[in-house]
Amino acid sequence: MAVTTPSRPTSPDGNDARPFWDGVATFRAARYGDPTPSGSASKLLDVQRAFDHELDAMHLAMCSFRMRRNEFALVSRLPVEIMIHIFSLLADAYPAGVVQEEDTGQWVRRLGWIQITFVCRRWRFVALDHPHLWRDVKVDLPGGWTETMISRSKSARLRMDFLIGLEIRVFRVLRSRQRQVVLQHIHRIELLRLPSSQETVDALTAPAPMLQVLEIGPRLRTTSTILPANFLGNHAPILRHLLLYNVLNFPWSSDICKSLVSLKLESSESIPSRPPLDVVLHALNRMPSLDSLTLLRHHLPEPMSASSIVVRLPRITELTLEGRLPDIAGLLRQLELPNNPNIYLTIFCSAEDEGGDFHAFFSVFAICLRDGGTSAAPNTELFLKHNAAKSTFKVQAKRSTEGPTTTPKTTETFLEFSYFNEVPATWSHLDMTRGIFAAFASEHLQSLTLVVEDSQWTTDDFINISGYAPALRSLRIWTATDKAFCLALSRTHSTGTETRTSHDSEGMHADHDPSVFTFFPQLQFLEICTLNFVRAFMADENDPEGEGPSCDTFHACLLARAQKVDSPLKKLVLRGCKIRQQWVDRFKEAVDVKWDGTGDPDAPSRRRG
Amino acid sequence: MPTIVSVDDSTVPGEGSSRLLLLVSSDNKHIVVEEDIMSRSRFISKQVEGFEATSQRHAILLPFSSFVLNKVIEYCSHYRGYYLLEDDPDAAPPGRSPVREWDQEFLDVDRNMLLRIIKAAHYLEIKSLVGSCARAIADMIRGKTTEEMREILGVENDFTPEEEHSPSSKCTG
């Protein structure tokens, strides 16, 4: 078969290169003569080697040509700083190492952005000439890439994250080689996230002058490690963020704490000797920049009967405490917080804890929550739930992030308070709610969700709560104390008593006193869910006093609210309430009604359904 | 530095509430644009300050085509009066953020045009546009193989065999 050489297009300038290179190739090939059958095997091999040499040389020449060609490519004419900008973005968006693929969820090991160094010489040259591109050292790449990245980073500050993906993969300890890398470069590491092991932590005794972020974890690890006494050589002058999970013996008195902006200490294991409160307070006093403080479980200091130290944390915006009530209350009492920090409290109660500290706790709570009336971010939403079955109490509060507006669009949760295990018997839901409202700046409160299982609530208790939140527009109430609630709902200014009702021509009760209501007068949205709807459902309709939401008094006052001239009430949601379709139809004439229909006594088939 | 040529009054329309600038592209197209629009360009702003010092009117010669210049003007017109963090010399550099929706559509152009726009934006010191273009280019090559990247950006593999097999080697070419 005849072998033909491929044809190439004529060059654009009309100067055809083909004859020239054909000539060159023919000339070079002619140097080696024709192969003859009599040629010795060794001679043939020599000629082949010579041709290989020719091809290598041609390949190099072609590389030069390609390089020259690339110089005319638009992308090659971009200034170096733009290329670095692009590479930096790519390094962020397409990192090297072990990563989880977005589409498949699979964990893959890849070179990521580093692939750009294989595109062309200029790209490699630019990337290798900019050490900061290599500062995110990946430790899970094969083939010596860790060392290569460190070498290319020259003297740039390093970021080493050994925890990426670890929490959902297998917990690992640092391999000996990786540990050596860390220790060798600790003087220029800026960010370090390490899986904890006693061996690794013990080795962290060298100063870390460039360290800004240190995390030792991962969070889900359950075994604890103990920090050495000279952790980081007591020298990490610009350490800003410190997160330690299940690491004990935190050096509260060390200089490494001075510049902290955020500190998070969590331990699930019991600590033999917890830090004394005074030591922690002195340490906090030396952290003027602290913005976020999280102390969980056994890292809370031992409470003291009294401490003269009051620590001012002027910049704190987030405080998260989790533990026993005496520990949390003991610490909170000694802290002077600015207006409006976000506070997340999770309180666990043990059998020996008494409810005696209830009032003291809420007085501390009040100090934490008051905004002094000058807040630019008024509290807008409050959720209070007491679960009697689980003996838990939960508070969640939100505030406007836009400052005082009539209809805030964006809110942030700034208080979460969960009380687990045994709520002391002396702490009734009513007392808890009163305590919260007494502590809480609620004059701008717009939305309240109240889960009231406690049958101790009276009509006056509801009315009192209403007094704390005159601007309330939305009320969601899950109540077992239906009657007290519905009487509160009907309370008006003019008489100071329940709304009088009588039968109208349709045999239904109608309101006779549509004056201003006392109970949340600005209410626009009302959702009622009776927790014990079975009881309400079974109530005797002929009971003149009614039994909760099934009583006509309740319906009448609701209707009065809806029908009142200029009534702000716009929407009514009824769940589990015993109510007739006719009443619902009348409500619908005045307001938007959403009713689940579960309680219509005239529709038994629907109930069964 | 750009070449600055003196122009007579007839070239530049009369001054109104917003002053007018005369921009001259590399293909010698004269484009009149309000100074307000181009104030996003630090380069133009510095030029205008220079004009005020000499109290002379000038045209600003720019080393890119009218086609590219018009795209840049379109961008500046769209964001006229907007505050963009990236263009604030006093603000901290913005972190990783997605390309703005309008920018995505604006930059839905062919590769060569995109590269020309980023180069012009860099010349004119419009950081927000440089940033958007850079993100668009990074998105274009993200997740691609080396060969695909070469194809997308129109470059050839110019490594010597030795360099290709030794990724740690630094090219000196």
Side-chain angles (χ1 to χ4, degrees), chain A residues 295-592:
Chain A
L295 298 177
L296 303 185
R297 310 258 178 145
H298 303 288
H299 280 289
L300 279 171
E302 288 274 10
M304 295 168 63
S305 53
S307 173
S308 58
I309 306 168
V310 173
V311 178
R312 196 165 159 263
L313 297 173
R315 297 194 178 180
I316 203 90
T317 60
E318 192 170 307
L319 177 66
T320 306
L321 303 175
E322 183 179 303
R324 293 168 60 247
L325 173 62
D327 300 343
I328 290 178
L331 180 60
L332 279 176
R333 275 195 203 97
Q334 310 306 132
L335 300 182
E336 191 181 315
L337 302 172
N339 285 344
N340 291 327
N342 295 333
I343 301 177
Y344 307 100
L345 305 179
T346 302
I347 298 175
F348 296 92
C349 196
S350 58
E352 64 269 20
D353 288 328
E354 296 295 333
D357 208 17
F358 176 82
H359 294 293
F361 176 73
F362 275 108
S363 67
V364 173
F365 212 54
I367 293 167
C368 298
L369 294 180
R370 278 214 185 282
D371 63 7
T374 58
S375 167
N379 311 325
T380 58
E381 291 181 51
L382 186 61
F383 173 93
L384 300 173
K385 180 181 181 183
H386 182 195
N387 188 324
K390 293 182 180 172
S391 293
T392 61
F393 189 85
K394 185 173 182 181
V395 180
Q396 188 182 57
K398 293 184 179 181
R399 66 181 163 214
S400 164
T401 55
E402 306 153 29
T405 66
T406 51
T407 52
K409 292 183 184 66
T410 52
T411 57
E412 63 171 349
T413 301
F414 75 96
L415 168 72
E416 276 186 4
F417 162 52
S418 302
Y419 196 100
F420 289 107
N421 297 353
E422 290 286 320
V423 175
T426 50
W427 294 30
S428 72
H429 180 235
L430 181 60
D431 287 340
M432 299 281 277
T433 307
R434 279 184 185 144
I436 297 284
F437 268 101
F440 190 75
S442 56
E443 61 271 22
H444 296 290
L445 196 70
Q446 302 212 349
S447 174
L448 171 66
T449 301
L450 200 56
V451 183
V452 184
E453 291 183 353
D454 197 333
S455 57
Q456 293 174 16
W457 281 64
T458 66
T459 303
D460 282 340
D461 292 328
F462 281 111
I463 295 287
N464 285 342
I465 295 300
S466 166
Y468 282 110
L472 199 80
R473 295 168 182 214
S474 167
L475 174 65
R476 287 182 171 84
I477 187 153
W478 294 32
T479 176
T481 55
D482 328 291
K483 184 175 174 183
F485 173 69
C486 80
L487 292 178
L489 198 68
S490 66
R491 191 70 67 85
T492 65
H493 276 315
S494 60
T495 62
T497 60
E498 293 85 46
T499 307
R500 295 184 303 273
T501 59
S502 67
H503 289 278
D504 64 9
S505 57
E506 294 173 6
M508 293 177 177
H509 295 289
D511 175 48
H512 280 210
D513 190 3
S515 54
V516 179
F517 288 92
T518 312
F519 185 65
F520 297 123
Q522 302 300 317
L523 215 55
Q524 294 180 5
F525 172 88
L526 175 63
E527 177 179 325
I528 304 166
C529 179
T530 54
L531 299 174
N532 60 343
F533 73 92
V534 174
R535 182 171 68 83
F537 191 76
M538 301 302 290
D540 180 6
E541 272 192 76
N542 298 320
D543 178 356
E545 294 299 322
E547 277 288 336
S550 64
C551 77
D552 286 346
T553 306
F554 172 70
H555 302 155
C557 72
L558 258 185
L559 190 60
R561 278 226 175 211
Q563 289 180 333
K564 189 167 76 72
V565 177
D566 300 328
S567 165
L569 191 66
K570 297 283 185 290
K571 185 163 184 178
L572 182 62
V573 178
L574 300 168
R575 300 182 199 278
C577 300
K578 184 174 182 182
I579 192 165
R580 282 199 169 88
Q581 178 75 49
Q582 294 137 297
W583 278 109
V584 176
D585 291 342
R586 292 194 69 183
F587 293 156
K588 284 181 177 171
E589 289 170 10
V591 293
D592 181 15

Side-chain angles (χ1 to χ4, degrees), chain A residues 99-404:
Chain A
V99 293
Q100 193 171 23
E101 283 187 329
E102 282 174 18
D103 44 353
T104 64
Q106 299 265 322
W107 288 92
V108 293
R109 182 176 277 128
R110 67 183 187 200
L111 276 183
W113 73 275
I114 296 177
Q115 285 207 119
I116 57 157
T117 61
F118 294 91
V119 170
C120 64
R121 305 178 97 220
R122 177 173 153 80
W123 284 33
R124 184 180 292 181
F125 178 82
V126 170
L128 267 60
D129 212 32
H130 288 81
H132 78 271
L133 278 175
W134 301 92
R135 65 183 187 151
D136 267 311
V137 176
K138 298 298 174 187
V139 290
D140 40 17
L141 286 173
W145 271 104
T146 302
E147 288 75 10
T148 301
M149 293 184 87
I150 288 177
S151 141
R152 289 179 180 181
S153 69
K154 294 181 181 168
S155 59
R157 295 183 185 185
L158 298 178
R159 303 164 67 88
M160 291 190 185
D161 189 343
F162 294 84
L163 288 180
I164 289 181
L166 275 190
E167 292 202 18
I168 46 178
R169 291 163 64 218
V170 182
F171 292 160
R172 290 190 317 187
V173 293
L174 220 55
R175 290 194 298 270
S176 161
R177 186 180 66 84
Q178 293 170 329
R179 188 160 48 245
Q180 279 172 7
V181 168
V182 170
L183 298 179
Q184 195 180 344
H185 297 279
I186 189 77
H187 63 281
R188 64 180 179 114
I189 294 179
E190 178 183 273
L191 176 146
L192 184 59
R193 296 182 74 228
L194 287 172
S196 69
S197 72
Q198 196 57 55
E199 210 175 354
T200 301
V201 167
D202 280 344
L204 290 174
T205 54
M210 299 298 165
L211 194 62
Q212 293 189 28
V213 181
L214 173 63
E215 178 177 344
I216 299 179
R219 190 164 185 264
L220 300 178
R221 185 184 287 280
T222 52
T223 52
S224 297
T225 49
I226 300 171
L227 290 183
N230 57 340
F231 183 55
L232 296 179
N234 290 324
H235 183 72
I238 57 171
L239 185 62
R240 301 274 185 270
H241 305 279
L242 182 57
L243 298 90
L244 303 176
Y245 297 104
N246 287 316
V247 172
L248 310 182
N249 197 27
F250 181 72
W252 284 101
S253 305
S254 169
D255 283 351
I256 65 168
C257 301
K258 280 183 177 173
S259 302
L260 286 179
V261 171
S262 72
L263 172 63
K264 182 170 187 174
L265 301 176
E266 180 177 345
S267 171
S268 56
E269 269 195 12
S270 170
I271 297 177
S273 57
R274 290 196 290 149
L277 181 61
D278 272 4
V279 169
V280 172
L281 292 174
H282 276 297
L284 292 176
N285 214 14
R286 295 167 67 218
M287 302 180 200
S289 306
L290 201 63
D291 171 82
S292 167
L293 174 65
T294 302
L295 298 177
L296 303 185
R297 310 258 178 145
H298 303 288
H299 280 289
L300 279 171
E302 288 274 10
M304 295 168 63
S305 53
S307 173
S308 58
I309 306 168
V310 173
V311 178
R312 196 165 159 263
L313 297 173
R315 297 194 178 180
I316 203 90
T317 60
E318 192 170 307
L319 177 66
T320 306
L321 303 175
E322 183 179 303
R324 293 168 60 247
L325 173 62
D327 300 343
I328 290 178
L331 180 60
L332 279 176
R333 275 195 203 97
Q334 310 306 132
L335 300 182
E336 191 181 315
L337 302 172
N339 285 344
N340 291 327
N342 295 333
I343 301 177
Y344 307 100
L345 305 179
T346 302
I347 298 175
F348 296 92
C349 196
S350 58
E352 64 269 20
D353 288 328
E354 296 295 333
D357 208 17
F358 176 82
H359 294 293
F361 176 73
F362 275 108
S363 67
V364 173
F365 212 54
I367 293 167
C368 298
L369 294 180
R370 278 214 185 282
D371 63 7
T374 58
S375 167
N379 311 325
T380 58
E381 291 181 51
L382 186 61
F383 173 93
L384 300 173
K385 180 181 181 183
H386 182 195
N387 188 324
K390 293 182 180 172
S391 293
T392 61
F393 189 85
K394 185 173 182 181
V395 180
Q396 188 182 57
K398 293 184 179 181
R399 66 181 163 214
S400 164
T401 55
E402 306 153 29

Side-chain angles (χ1 to χ4, degrees), chain A residues 59-60 63 66-67 69-70 73-79 81-82 85-86 89-90 92-94 115-121 123-125 128-129 145 148 152, chain B residues 96 112 115-116 118-119 122 130-131 134-135 137-138 141-146 149-150 153-161 163 166-171 173:
Chain A
H59 192 90
L60 284 176
C63 287
R66 289 197 182 107
M67 192 178 76
R69 180 206 175 276
N70 284 350
L74 266 175
V75 71
S76 304
R77 301 171 76 81
L78 291 180
E81 52 265 48
I82 290 184
H85 192 155
I86 295 168
L89 289 168
L90 203 59
D92 271 351
Y94 191 55
Q115 285 207 119
I116 57 157
T117 61
F118 294 91
V119 170
C120 64
R121 305 178 97 220
W123 284 33
R124 184 180 292 181
F125 178 82
L128 267 60
D129 212 32
W145 271 104
T148 301
R152 289 179 180 181
Chain B
R96 194 171 146 189
N112 287 345
L115 294 170
R116 287 187 176 106
I118 193 173
K119 212 172 155 192
H122 178 256
V130 170
R135 271 188 287 270
I137 296 169
I141 57 178
R142 186 175 68 178
K144 300 290 191 293
T145 64
T146 309
M149 286 192 219
R150 286 185 193 125
L153 293 170
V155 291
E156 293 268 336
N157 177 3
D158 57 0
F159 289 115
T160 64
E163 287 166 348
S166 169
S168 295
S169 71
K170 182 165 176 174
C171 307

